[in-house]
Amino acid sequence: MNFKNLIYQRLDIEEFERKVLQLLERFKDSDSHLEQFELIDQINSLRNDVLTMLTIAQIRSHLDTLDVKYQKEQQYINQNWPIYEKLVGLFHEHVSYSPFKKEIKEKFGEQLVCFAEASRNTVSSEVIEDLIQENNLVSDYTKLMATSTVEFRGEKRTLSQLESFLFSEDRSMRKQAGEKKYELLSHLEHKIDRIFDELIKVRNSIAIKLGHDSFVELGYARLSRVGYDQSDVEDFRELILKYIVPISEKTREKQRIRLGLDKLAFYDEDIRFSTGNPAPGGDVKWMVSKFEEILNEISLEAGEFFNSLTVNHLIDLLPKEGKARGAYATYLCNEKTPYIFANMNGTRKDIKVLSHEFGHAWQMYLYNQHNNIPEYILPTKEACEIHSISMEFLVWPYLEKIFGVDADKYRHAHLEDALYSMPYRAAIDEFQHFIYKNPSLSISERKEQWIEIEYKYMPYKGEYDHAYLMRGSYWQQQTHIFTTPFYYIDYALAQMCALQIWSNAQTNESMAWEAYMKLCNLGGSKSFLQLLDQNGMNSPFLEQGFTLITDKIEKWLDLNENKIK
C-alpha cells in the first residue's frame, strides 16, 4: 500500500448521516444485545470509512497548504466534521443508555462505555455552525503559520525553515535567526491575536449552549479524560512547580556557565555546550537509514515495520514551502497503517522527533491490526504520549550510530529537554485554564497574564529583552493552544511516566522494553490510570513519583557532567 497511490473520495456526509441514523433507530428499538453488538460493528465500519478519507485529505492538505484541491477538501471537512461529531455523539448517547450496557462492556471493553459517558454534552445540532467556525479558525491559524515567510540570508524562509539556524554554534548567526523569527511573528501578531480572540469567543459560546459553566469543562470532555479532573491537574502543576522548576533553573544556570555567558538570551536556549550541540553525522536520508538500523537492534519487527513506512511513502520528514509546521503520527483506519509527518532540519532534535512519532506509529501498528473500534486506535492523549516519549529514551543505547562521540552530549541534552519541557507545559496549561475561565479578558490582559505565569514556571526567561517576548506573545507559536485546548499538559503527564521507563532502562534494557511492549499492546482499551496500574507504574498525580524521578535525574546529570563540555 503506497500512500501516493491511495485514492481519495470526498465523503458523502448526507449519506453517512442517513445510514447512521437508521442504524441508531434499530439500536434503540433492539431487544437483543447480540443485535446491538452487530449494529455497533456496522456503525464503526462506517466511521472508519469516513476517518480514512478524512485522514488522507488532512495529510495531503498539510503536506502542501498551497494545494488548491486539498485546501478545498479541508474546507469541506471543516464544514461537515461537526455533523460527523454530532452523529458520534448520538451513537455514544445510545450506548450509554443501552439496557445492555453490561454486555457491551464485556464484549467491547469498559473503556468504550466510559468514552460514551464522558462525551455526552460535547456536541449538538445547536452548535454545528459554531463548530464550523471553530474549525475554520484553526485552519486559518495552521495555514498562516505554514505559509508566512521572512527573508534570511538571501532566501525567503518559513518558521520551520528558520529553525536549523537557531541551533548554530555561531552565536551571531543564532541571534540573527532569532530576530528574524520574531520579526515574522511580530508581523503576524495581530492576525494571530484576532484568530485566538475569535476562538475563545466561539468556544465559550459552544460550551454555554451545551450547558457547561465554561469551555474548561467542555475541553476536558472533548479529551475524554477519565478518572481525574481539573483539581488533579492543578495539583500536578503544583508538583512541577515544587520539584521540577528548581532543578530546571539549576540546570539552566549550569548551561549558562558551560557556555561562558553573562546571561542566557532567547536565542541561546537550545545551545547546551561550549563545543556546540551534538549533530547527526549525515543528512535526513542518512539519519533515517541509521534509525532503521537502531530499530533492528532493538526489535527486528520494529525495524521491518519502519522500513515498510519508508518504502510505502507513509512518512514525510523534510520541511518545504507551504508544508504545515510541526510533527505528528496519524492512522489510516481501513489501510491498517500509521502515517508519520514531520519537519526535520538537520539538528539534534531530529532524532527526538523521529523516535517520538515512531513510538506513536509503533503502538498504533501493534494494537490495531485486529481492532476496528475508532475509540481504541490510540489511548487518550496523556496515555498515548507515554508510547512516544518512552521511545525517545529506549533508543539511547544506540545513539553512537547517529551522533558518534557526541552521543553522551545528546543524551545529556535530551534529559535536560525533559526537565525544561515540563514547566513550560504547566505554564501553557495554567494559561489556558485562566483565559477560558475568564473569556471576557482583553487581548492585552491575556498577554499580561502569560508574562506572570511564564515567570512563575520559568524565572530565567524574565531577562529576555525582545519586544515580542516582553509583550507576552510567546504562546502564539504553540500550535496545541489553537488546535486542541488542554492537550499540552498531557505531554508532561506522559513525561513523568516515560521517565519511569527511562529509569528502568538504565539497569535493565530488556525489562524496560518488555514493559513498553505490554503498554503498547493494550492500545486504547483502558483509561490512563488503568494503563499505569496494569503496568505497575506510579501515577504522576502522586508526590512519591516526583521524589523518586527527580532524585534519579539529578544523580544522572551530576554523574555525566564530566562527559560533556
Side-chain angles (χ1 to χ4, degrees), residues 313-339:
H313 299 99
L314 291 160
I315 184 167
D316 191 286
L317 302 173
L318 290 173
K320 58 181 181 288
E321 186 176 355
K323 183 178 177 181
R325 296 174 69 231
Y328 60 80
T330 189
Y331 193 72
L332 296 156
C333 301
N334 288 349
E335 306 299 331
K336 294 289 185 186
T337 184
Y339 183 100

Side-chain angles (χ1 to χ4, degrees), residues 416-429:
E416 288 180 337
D417 289 342
L419 276 178
Y420 298 153
S421 68
M422 283 190 276
Y424 173 59
R425 285 165 178 158
I428 291 288
D429 190 65

Side-chain angles (χ1 to χ4, degrees), residues 161-192:
Q161 291 169 330
L162 270 177
E163 285 295 314
S164 61
F165 297 99
L166 295 171
F167 286 83
S168 173
E169 293 180 32
D170 183 341
R171 196 175 189 223
S172 63
M173 173 75 76
R174 295 199 305 272
K175 182 178 181 183
Q176 291 170 31
E179 287 173 344
K180 280 293 180 180
K181 173 184 175 178
Y182 288 116
E183 176 186 319
L184 176 55
L185 285 171
S186 295
H187 178 69
L188 302 177
E189 187 174 3
H190 293 305
K191 292 181 181 178
I192 299 172

